[in-house]
């Protein structure tokens, strides 16, 4: 049996009386419902809850105190399915029911929907481009406009013009008129989009004199109720231009959030809120320069520490130039150094600088981080077997390639025992004594 639709004019917060006709376990859940919880469809004789459709989300509210999770039209379009948790449905039974509408959500969706008509109509009037589809999201709303494959159709100036024209229409408070007419009469309206086929009655929504659109959603009584419309931007989307917008109270929330952030930046940088963008840009440029300077200092310090390391452990000078054997500092010789107060990041820089100047294997450990990094640039060397086996023997974690290996231990003792094993290994086989 057809559910009577009483949702168009009903926006009151007070209870609405209806009859529960049936509680029907839902066999097929809506695709967007990702939960495992079974749902029950409550069938009413008449409803104040708008079912999802035409780009507008479903209403929320309650039936005899049971919260509504979703509202959908049945596949035939005759019935309206009010979806509730199966556990909650046990509290309901056929008979009289009190319906409560979440009026805040309804007003939000109604304002956004009417704003969408105004926006699409204004874009059409100012640019000649048609809206193809729309979506009212939980955060922002979008319309997709056919711009003939040109995503740059809407410049920033165009979007401001659209926004200003919409603001004028809101201030002028044009009535929004609903026409219910048979399909044969619909041609008398200059419709912005094609009406649905096979309907007995077509619902045409008019923003007085300026925009006519067939639509089944809920709408404000006049444009003034929209309050304000903000175009947030335009971008390329599937060969069209997607325009993002918000309206009504969402503009208030957005403005409040931006102001809170703007004030915080303004106080932090001691600049007026209107100049925070430029100030942040300048700060980022200054920071980038400082980072470049710091890196240059770190690299220079690493070179100095690498030279000190090589002379301390007797590995300075390319092994190919004089010490190509397996003796101290020569190719494949394993040299271990522990740093008691240097972090692994700095050790990595020292190791990278030092390996250019020796064919020995350098195993450098950070005591504070309980980590080590090993380097070997001798041709044909593969340090993995040595480090993998020793790592496993001391419950370390890590990995690497033929010429670089790193690892981490749970305790300083495990790291020390691991390093003692590496030191005892002494030599790794290499093909030649020269640095790659
Ligand atoms: Zn509409």
């Amino acid at each position: 049996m057809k559910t009577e639709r009483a949702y168009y004019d009903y926006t009151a917060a007070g209870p609405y009386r209806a009859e529960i006709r049936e509680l029907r376990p839902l066999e097929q859940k809506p695709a967007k419902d990702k939960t495992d919880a079974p749902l029950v469809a409550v069938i009413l004789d008449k409803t104040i809850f708008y079912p999802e459709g035409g780009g507008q989300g479903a209403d929320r509210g309650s039936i005899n105190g049971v919260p509504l999770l979703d509202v959908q039209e049945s596949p035939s379009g005759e019935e309206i399915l009010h979806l509730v948790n199966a556990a909650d449905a046990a509290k309901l039974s056929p008979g009289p029911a009190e319906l409560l509408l979440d009026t805040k959500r309804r007003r939000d969706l109604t304002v956004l929907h009417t704003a969408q008509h105004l926006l699409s109509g204004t874009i059409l009037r100012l640019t000649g481009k048609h809206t193809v589809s729309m979506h009212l999201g939980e955060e922002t709303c979008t319309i997709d406009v056919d711009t003939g494959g040109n995503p740059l159709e809407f410049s920033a100036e165009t979007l401001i013009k659209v926004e200003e024209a919409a603001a004028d229409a809101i201030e002028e408070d044009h009535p929004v008129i609903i026409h219910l007419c048979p399909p044969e009469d619909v041609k008398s309206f200059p419709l912005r989009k094609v009406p649905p086929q096979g309907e007995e009655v077509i619902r045409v929504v008019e923003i007085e004199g300026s925009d006519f659109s067939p639509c089944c959603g809920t709408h404000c009584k006049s444009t003034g109720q929209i309050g304000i419309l903000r175009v947030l931007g335009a971008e390329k989307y599937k060969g069209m231009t997607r325009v993002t917008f918000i309206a009504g109270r969402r503009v208030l929330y957005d403005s409040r959030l931006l102001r809170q952030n703007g004030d915080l930046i303004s106080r932090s940088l001691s600049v007026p809120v209107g100049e925070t963008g430029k100030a942040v840009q300048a700060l980022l440029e200054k920071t980038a320069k400082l980072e470049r300077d710091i890196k240059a200092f770190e690299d220079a310090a690493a070179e100095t520490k690498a030279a000190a390391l090589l002379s301390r452990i007797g590995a300075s000078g390319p092994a190919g130039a004089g010490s190509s054997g397996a003796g101290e500092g020569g190719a494949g010789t394993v040299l271990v150094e522990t740093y008691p107060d240097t972090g692994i990041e700095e050790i990595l820089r020292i190791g990278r600088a030092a390996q250019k100047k020796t064919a020995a294997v350098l195993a450098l450990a950070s005591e504070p981080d309980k980590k080590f990094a090993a380097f070997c640039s001798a041709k044909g060397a593969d340090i993995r077997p040595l480090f993998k086996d020793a790592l496993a023997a001391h419950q370390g974690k890590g990995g690497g390639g033929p010429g670089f290996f790193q690892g981490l231990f749970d305790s300083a003792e495990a790291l020390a025992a691991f390093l003692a094993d590496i030191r005892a290994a002494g030599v790794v086989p290499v093909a030649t004594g020269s640095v790659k």
Side-chain angles (χ1 to χ4, degrees), residues 61-278:
S62 63
I63 300 172
N64 279 352
V66 166
L68 269 182
L69 302 180
D70 198 1
V71 186
Q72 295 285 329
E73 278 187 338
S74 66
S76 70
E78 295 269 294
E79 287 175 325
I80 292 175
L81 312 177
H82 305 83
L83 306 185
V84 300
N85 259 327
D88 286 339
K91 299 173 204 157
L92 300 174
S93 54
E98 268 192 6
L99 316 185
L100 280 180
L101 177 68
D102 178 345
T103 50
K104 202 167 179 187
R105 176 180 166 89
R106 164 66 79 82
R107 269 206 301 270
D108 178 47
L109 294 175
T110 300
V111 161
L112 293 167
H113 198 145
T114 314
Q116 180 267 313
H117 283 237
L118 180 60
L119 178 61
S120 292
T122 306
I123 287 177
L124 180 62
R125 186 163 54 82
L126 296 185
T127 72
K129 304 298 174 191
H130 281 271
T131 296
V132 176
S133 61
M134 64 91 139
H135 175 71
L136 308 180
E138 297 297 327
E139 304 251 315
T140 55
C141 308
T142 56
I143 55 171
D144 293 333
V145 183
D146 184 356
T147 46
N150 176 15
L152 301 176
E153 183 79 32
F154 299 150
S155 63
E157 292 75 28
T158 305
L159 294 178
I160 287 173
K161 272 186 196 155
V162 166
E163 224 175 35
E164 289 289 332
D168 286 340
I170 290 167
E171 287 172 5
E172 287 154 16
D173 198 19
H174 301 290
V176 174
I177 305 155
I178 309 296
H179 305 272
L180 298 173
C181 58
E184 57 271 24
D185 290 358
V186 96
K187 289 195 185 74
S188 61
F189 295 108
L191 291 186
R192 176 160 54 72
K193 63 179 192 181
V194 182
Q197 299 299 306
E199 301 279 323
E200 287 169 27
V201 177
I202 309 260
R203 200 165 177 270
V204 174
V205 179
E206 173 187 357
I207 296 176
E208 195 178 56
S210 68
D211 185 65
F212 298 81
S213 181
C215 186
C216 62
T218 63
H219 302 86
C220 299
K221 290 183 170 37
S222 67
T223 54
Q225 289 185 340
I226 295 170
I228 192 78
L229 190 163
R230 266 288 279 141
V231 175
L232 300 181
E235 62 190 333
K236 190 177 170 181
Y237 181 76
K238 291 188 177 171
M240 291 178 287
T241 302
R242 171 162 281 190
V243 179
T244 304
F245 71 98
I246 49 175
R249 203 169 276 219
R250 289 200 194 186
V251 180
L252 177 65
Y253 300 152
D254 186 63
S255 165
R256 194 179 288 153
L257 182 69
L258 292 179
R259 190 76 203 189
Q260 281 166 351
N261 277 280
D263 284 346
L264 185 62
I265 301 170
S266 162
R267 280 197 303 274
S268 305
L269 301 182
S270 303
V271 294
V273 76
E275 292 169 24
T276 48
K278 273 187 186 164

